[in-house]
Structures are given as C-alpha cells and as structure tokens.
Amino acid sequence: MAGRVSTPGQTVTGRVLSILAVFEKSLAPRSLSEISAETGLPLSTTHRLLAELEAWEALQRDDQGRYQIGIRLWELGQHAGRQVRDIARPLLQDLYSLTQETVHIAIRENTDALYIDRVYGTRRVPQASRVGGRLPLHATAVGKVLLAFEESWVRDAVLAQPLESRTSQTHVDPDALRAELTTIRERGFALALNEARLGASSIAVPIFQREGGIGAALGLVAPAEDAGALERHLPAMRGISRRIEASVGPFPLRTLRPSARVSGSGPPS
C-alpha cells in the first residue's frame, strides 16, 4: 500500500530525516530507487518527499537525475560550530605556519571524530577524511585523544562495540586499545600510523573546555615516513591548544546514542 514504511509509526519528519541520513554516510549522488531501498520507504513516498526537499533546495539533482545535497542545506550546515571555527581558524593557520603540515581540529560525534576545520599543507599526504567528515575514534590520533580523556563509561561503551579496521594496521583489540588510551592520558598526546589510511601518520593533543573536560582535539598529519619526527611539533601544538582553550566557549558535542551504550554503562546519575 502506498505510504507504508518499514518502520511502524514513523512520522513524516522521521521519513524526511531518514532520506537526509542517506547522504550522511556518503556524499555520492543517489537515484530515486537507491534512496527508496536505503530508507525502506515506498517509491511513491520517496518521490514525493524528494520533490519537496528539492523544492526547498535541501537536495538538488545532477545531469543524470540523481539526488545530492543542495546548496541551501549546505548553507544551513555552515552555522553549526561556526563560533568554534571562526575563533580556531586563525590559530590553525598559526600552527600551519609553524609546522608547514596539514592541521585540523575535531570533536566527538557519538563514536566518531567529526572534523570541523582543517588547514592543508603543501605536502601530498593521503587524506582519510574532510571537513564535515567523520572517522572512528579508535582509528585516528584526534579520535584517540578524544576517547582517552572522555569519561570512563564512554570509553567502555565505545570499546564494547565491534571496531572497524580502516586499514590492516588499525588497532582494533579492545584490551590493547584500553592500555593505549591509558598511555595517551599519561603522555598527553596520541599517535597513529597507517591506521586511518595507509601512507599517513598523525599526532594529536587535547583541547579542554574552560569548565573542565575534553572539548576537542588538535591534530597534525604528515606522510607515514615522517612518523618518527612528529613529536617535535608538540610544543607548538600544545601552545595553540592552550590559546584555543582560552578563546573558545563550550564546544558542540553529541553524546552516545542509546544503542551505542553497553549494558550497565552510562553517565553517572
């Protein structure tokens, strides 16, 4: 029957959000049938909602009639975390000037590191993510810093889930990762080599909230062959981190979704 959906009781808003969520996983254009299949919505319902989203310019179509993110939705998204980006960007530029390497800042988005800004260096380094993109916390230096300085129940919840192997060298053993996170807290920085993408190495330091607690992570990326020399950038990175801490208010942060928590784990009551 037209209008039926795979999720009983799903509202119109829920159906629209399920369509937009398709593009959260990948920005590749999608056909009507692909979106219908990925959302579980009937073709007729999908077609009607896509037409409304296109009319509002949340989505637009390419030359082959496939749907992709529209300019209006992109413009709206630029307001998210804008205060942090506007304040941090000159400081990221400073760090780039001091190191000549690609630098970025990330926050925790559920179980991922969400990259909110980046300044690209001139050297060619394999990039695993982009501004607005996400990578698993356990597979990146910035993600490991965010996880290491989080509350213990968040670490327990993340490490209790299946951990994705982005490359053959991604650390996915929960016990080994737990020990690594302890070391990161002791040293105050994290390293990653060929974990998010082969050929790339990275180092990251925490950026704390003014009122305490981890707010974001500041990272630097270099070719894998330079991994052994990354620690020389720590004084500059820590200096920039402190300047960001002193300038930025509360960082945007989304907590773990209920399904991401393990039984018996949760924030303290």
Side-chain angles (χ1 to χ4, degrees):
M1 180 184 298
R4 288 186 61 188
V5 295
S6 59
T7 304
Q10 189 178 31
T11 65
V12 174
T13 302
R15 298 172 195 177
V16 171
L17 293 176
S18 70
I19 290 175
L20 295 178
V22 168
F23 299 94
E24 186 178 26
K25 304 171 187 174
S26 169
L27 295 179
R30 305 291 214 290
S31 67
L32 168 63
S33 59
E34 288 173 333
I35 295 172
S36 175
E38 290 191 49
T39 60
L41 297 172
L43 277 171
S44 59
T45 301
T46 306
H47 183 267
R48 174 173 56 81
L49 294 176
L50 285 172
E52 294 180 14
L53 287 168
E54 184 182 8
W56 194 76
E57 297 181 338
L59 298 178
Q60 62 188 35
R61 281 191 277 183
D62 63 13
D63 294 339
Q64 300 178 30
R66 297 174 303 178
Y67 295 88
Q68 57 192 11
I69 293 295
I71 190 67
R72 190 168 182 181
L73 195 61
W74 178 84
E75 289 175 331
L76 185 63
Q78 297 309 297
H79 293 291
R82 184 170 181 174
Q83 179 197 27
V84 175
R85 292 200 310 273
D86 288 349
I87 293 174
R89 170 51 71 97
L91 298 175
L92 290 181
Q93 293 281 7
D94 281 351
L95 183 58
Y96 164 74
S97 298
L98 292 168
T99 65
Q100 297 298 301
E101 303 287 5
T102 295
V103 295
H104 51 229
I105 185 172
I107 60 174
R108 181 172 68 80
E109 154 66 38
N110 296 303
T111 60
D112 294 327
L114 171 63
Y115 292 80
I116 60 175
D117 205 359
R118 172 175 284 171
V119 175
Y120 290 92
T122 56
R123 293 205 293 171
R124 185 181 296 273
V125 182
Q127 299 293 334
S129 188
R130 65 191 187 285
V131 175
R134 295 187 285 183
L135 287 172
L137 290 171
H138 67 278
T140 67
V142 286
K144 290 180 181 184
V145 161
L146 291 168
L147 195 55
F149 289 94
E150 261 292 2
E151 296 180 73
S152 60
W153 70 268
V154 176
R155 291 195 297 274
D156 292 341
V158 172
L159 296 180
Q161 300 182 48
L163 300 174
E164 177 187 0
S165 292
R166 298 285 301 188
T167 75
S168 60
Q169 298 187 44
T170 307
H171 301 172
V172 294
D173 178 78
D175 293 332
L177 273 169
R178 199 178 302 277
E180 183 178 0
L181 295 176
T182 298
T183 300
I184 291 169
R185 288 194 299 276
E186 293 171 349
R187 298 196 304 180
F189 68 93
L191 293 167
L193 173 61
N194 293 319
E195 292 193 59
R197 188 157 186 180
L198 295 176
S201 61
S202 58
I203 186 170
V205 298
I207 300 172
F208 293 105
Q209 304 268 21
R210 290 185 200 172
E211 64 273 18
I214 185 71
L218 178 67
L220 179 149
V221 182
E225 58 266 26
D226 292 343
L230 285 178
E231 292 183 36
R232 74 180 188 276
H233 298 304
L234 280 173
M237 294 181 70
R238 285 170 169 155
I240 295 296
S241 172
R242 288 192 293 269
R243 289 176 64 187
I244 294 175
E245 289 170 358
S247 303
V248 177
F251 285 86
L253 177 66
R254 284 174 59 183
T255 57
L256 294 175
R257 297 187 178 100
S259 60
R261 294 181 183 164
V262 295
S263 177
S265 294
S269 56

